[in-house]
Amino acid sequence: MPLAPDLLGTRGEPAEFAWTRDDVLLYALAVGAGQEDPLDELAFTTDNTEGLATLALPTYAAIVTRGGGVPLGDIDHTKLVHAEQSVRLHAPLPVEGRARVSAQVTGVYDKGSGALVETTCEAVDATTGAPLATTVGSAFIRGEGGFGGPRGGAQAPPLPDGPPDHRIPFTTAPNQALVYRLTGDRNPLHTDPAFAARGGFDRPILHGMCTYGFTARILLRTVCEGDPARFGAIDGRFTAPVYPGDRLTVSIWRDETGGAAFRTTRDSDGAVVLDRGLLKAA
């Protein structure tokens, strides 16, 4: 079941995405805000706390741009996994709004055992045209390699030498995928045991973007003191599945620019699940 021909450079149909305050509150809960302490992170989880204005988590930008996809062809979606993701904010996201989203396939790479397809999405305010966010996501599709295309660029740079400045543990809830899917990602890989089995998993796995959101929220709090205006961009690659209920740890290496390198690992076996990540300050 091949990829669409001449996929590189293909543009998707422009889409609009509207969101409300309730949507950003739900997203914050879906990526663990208030999970360990309901009175923590109230700016992201409530809309009527005295002295606090509601804020949107920066990685909600990935939800805003998610509808700007490009059809990849007649592929087996049980063989598709999220490989890499970057989110760049041009300004802090409003807690409600309407965006115009455009998408283009900006890379198609032959990895031998599969194909890696990179899609870049741009979101602008639907009324003013002001840039909101740019996201770049890569999907790896097993069995679609061998077509003779370029293999892709060099690997991301290694993490800094020495111990991390912070090690922040967190635990995903057993029903985490059921909550996260309410943000709009209804991929049955995360909830349907039969679909997950066809993809080679013994049970449904957690959305990679849920792990990404947990990690970004911890980076926001630890490196940016909870201020979305200081959060410029984040990128990382997914290297192993996470299951709902897993306990994970984010290791953080600060840098002199106000950003940080990071890696997220699974506590039970030390497996790296989100690797060679980089947070850039605004």
Side-chain angles (χ1 to χ4, degrees):
M1 291 185 282
L3 290 170
D6 302 320
L7 191 57
L8 183 63
T10 300
R11 293 182 180 273
E13 290 293 328
E16 285 205 357
F17 182 87
W19 67 100
T20 68
R21 192 175 302 262
D22 283 353
D23 293 320
V24 301
L25 297 177
L26 173 61
Y27 175 76
L29 296 175
V31 297
Q35 191 161 283
E36 294 184 5
D37 180 357
L39 299 184
D40 196 14
E41 302 172 281
L42 288 173
F44 300 102
T45 57
T46 64
D47 57 358
N48 57 357
T49 299
E50 184 175 351
L52 288 178
T54 304
L55 299 173
L57 287 171
T59 46
Y60 190 72
I63 304 294
V64 172
T65 60
R66 188 166 59 199
V70 178
L72 301 183
D74 187 20
I75 63 171
D76 182 351
H77 284 268
T78 68
K79 307 300 183 185
L80 183 151
V81 293
H82 204 151
E84 299 172 312
Q85 183 67 49
S86 71
V87 173
R88 178 188 173 200
L89 280 300
H90 302 296
L93 282 178
V95 297
E96 53 190 13
R98 187 166 55 90
R100 188 169 62 252
V101 181
S102 59
Q104 182 178 20
V105 175
T106 48
V108 180
Y109 305 110
D110 186 347
K111 297 296 187 180
S113 63
L116 186 73
V117 180
E118 175 192 274
T119 302
T120 299
C121 295
E122 302 279 356
V124 301
D125 186 281
T127 301
T128 67
L132 293 174
T134 301
T135 64
V136 182
S138 297
F140 182 77
I141 307 112
R142 284 180 289 148
E144 294 291 346
F147 55 88
R151 186 159 179 85
Q155 290 189 348
L159 292 171
D161 293 329
D165 297 297
H166 309 277
R167 296 184 78 253
I168 312 295
F170 67 92
T171 303
T172 62
N175 68 342
Q176 200 75 57
L178 299 178
V179 178
Y180 189 83
R181 73 189 295 271
L182 299 179
T183 67
D185 187 342
R186 303 299 176 95
N187 186 341
L189 177 64
H190 309 296
T191 53
D192 182 346
F195 189 95
R198 291 198 298 273
F201 300 101
D202 60 2
R203 55 195 168 101
I205 64 174
L206 187 60
H207 307 71
M209 287 304 294
C210 184
T211 304
Y212 190 92
F214 263 91
T215 299
R217 181 179 56 79
I218 288 169
L219 288 162
L220 174 68
R221 182 177 61 191
T222 305
V223 180
C224 304
E225 297 182 350
D227 181 1
R230 294 175 55 184
F231 192 108
I234 181 173
D235 60 75
R237 28 174 223 172
F238 304 100
T239 51
V242 172
Y243 292 93
D246 277 351
R247 183 172 175 81
L248 307 170
T249 294
V250 184
S251 298
I252 302 170
W253 292 261
R254 289 178 178 265
D255 64 33
E256 65 279 0
T257 70
F262 66 89
R263 167 181 282 168
T264 302
T265 53
R266 186 165 50 224
D267 286 7
S268 61
D269 57 5
V272 177
V273 300
L274 186 59
D275 195 22
R276 295 185 180 180
L278 184 65
L279 169 68
K280 297 178 182 179

